Amino acid sequence: MFQNSNRQMSLIKIVPINLPVHLDIDYVAEVVNDTFRIDTIVSDLKIDVSDAYDDRRNQYRSSVMLAKLDETAGTTGTGTKILGITELDLFMPILTFVFGEAQLDGPASVISSFRLRNEFYGLPENNVLLNERICKEAIHEIAHNFGLLHCDDYMCVMKSSTYVEDIDIKNMELCSSCKELLENTMSACEAPHI
């Protein structure tokens, strides 16, 4: 997507959290790497998210997971972005659920496959579609980490998604405007500080 410049110091870590083995995390890492042109690895970090559980809602607070991922990112070096992927059902107090959450201009983001699976909607299992949805959400949340906001272009991966159908409609790529914004943001991050 972008011309590769001096991004050797940057790294994106993908951390599976309570995730079934049938999901193709290596494919997600490859798509993220191709999108951001930053080395992307699947980490074997173990993150305890038990205190994110809310027994009244039988869901997990995404903000608690973000805080734990943020702590981890702080120990992994400058320029590191860290994405947690979980099968646990995530929520924010003001919303029924979230597909994911990210720290705007921060290092951490998290996404959930819980409501991305066809089976959740009573449809036949489709792991190809599931992996595509996960990739779109991963790109979306990591782009927030680089400061991008939601886009009005319904085909852009940065379009906000309230329903899973919204995710299916949009592309796995950034629109030209968001692509330019991301490139400018990433270039500014790499500029030497005087």
Side-chain angles (χ1 to χ4, degrees):
M1 172 184 287
F2 303 109
Q3 295 299 314
N4 196 2
S5 56
N6 185 22
R7 296 204 171 108
Q8 292 83 5
M9 299 302 288
S10 300
L11 179 67
I12 296 174
K13 283 188 175 182
I14 296 177
V15 181
I17 304 169
N18 291 61
L19 198 62
V21 293
H22 68 270
L23 292 176
D24 192 350
I25 296 301
D26 289 332
Y27 173 70
V28 177
E30 184 180 319
V31 169
V32 167
N33 182 64
D34 288 348
T35 301
F36 294 95
R37 297 288 181 203
I38 293 176
D39 288 340
T40 303
I41 62 168
V42 177
S43 171
D44 59 358
L45 284 170
K46 303 294 180 217
I47 296 179
D48 177 14
V49 295
S50 57
D51 56 342
Y53 181 69
D54 185 318
D55 58 357
R56 292 169 298 171
R57 296 180 58 140
N58 193 27
Q59 290 176 298
Y60 288 78
R61 287 181 186 269
S62 55
S63 58
V64 174
M65 287 195 188
L66 273 185
K68 288 180 174 283
L69 289 162
D70 187 18
E71 289 171 15
T72 303
T75 63
T76 56
T78 304
T80 297
K81 304 294 183 191
I82 187 164
L83 170 71
I85 303 180
T86 183
E87 189 182 50
L88 302 172
D89 193 16
L90 302 179
F91 80 101
M92 297 169 64
I94 59 169
L95 298 173
T96 306
F97 71 92
V98 292
F99 294 122
E101 184 181 356
Q103 296 172 326
L104 187 64
D105 255 337
S109 54
V110 62
I111 61 173
S112 167
S113 66
F114 188 83
R115 295 170 190 261
L116 300 179
R117 297 177 296 115
N118 264 2
E119 304 91 290
F120 182 81
Y121 305 97
L123 299 171
E125 180 179 344
N126 185 335
N127 284 330
V128 172
L129 184 58
L130 174 61
N131 280 311
E132 185 177 306
R133 289 170 177 167
I134 288 173
C135 287
K136 289 177 182 178
E137 287 305 292
I139 293 167
H140 181 99
E141 300 303 347
I142 293 170
H144 280 318
N145 291 149
F146 283 103
L148 266 68
L149 302 174
H150 286 150
C151 179
D152 291 335
D153 183 342
Y154 70 94
M155 296 301 287
C156 177
V157 75
M158 290 312 294
K159 175 75 175 168
S160 176
S161 300
T162 304
Y163 304 103
V164 74
E165 292 87 352
D166 299 330
I167 299 172
D168 292 341
I169 289 171
K170 63 186 179 183
N171 289 323
M172 200 178 299
E173 298 176 354
L174 300 163
C175 69
S176 58
S177 297
C178 287
K179 211 179 286 188
E180 185 177 342
L181 281 172
L182 181 62
E183 180 67 15
N184 291 339
T185 299
M186 293 174 80
S187 296
C189 291
E190 295 159 359
H193 299 284
I194 299 174

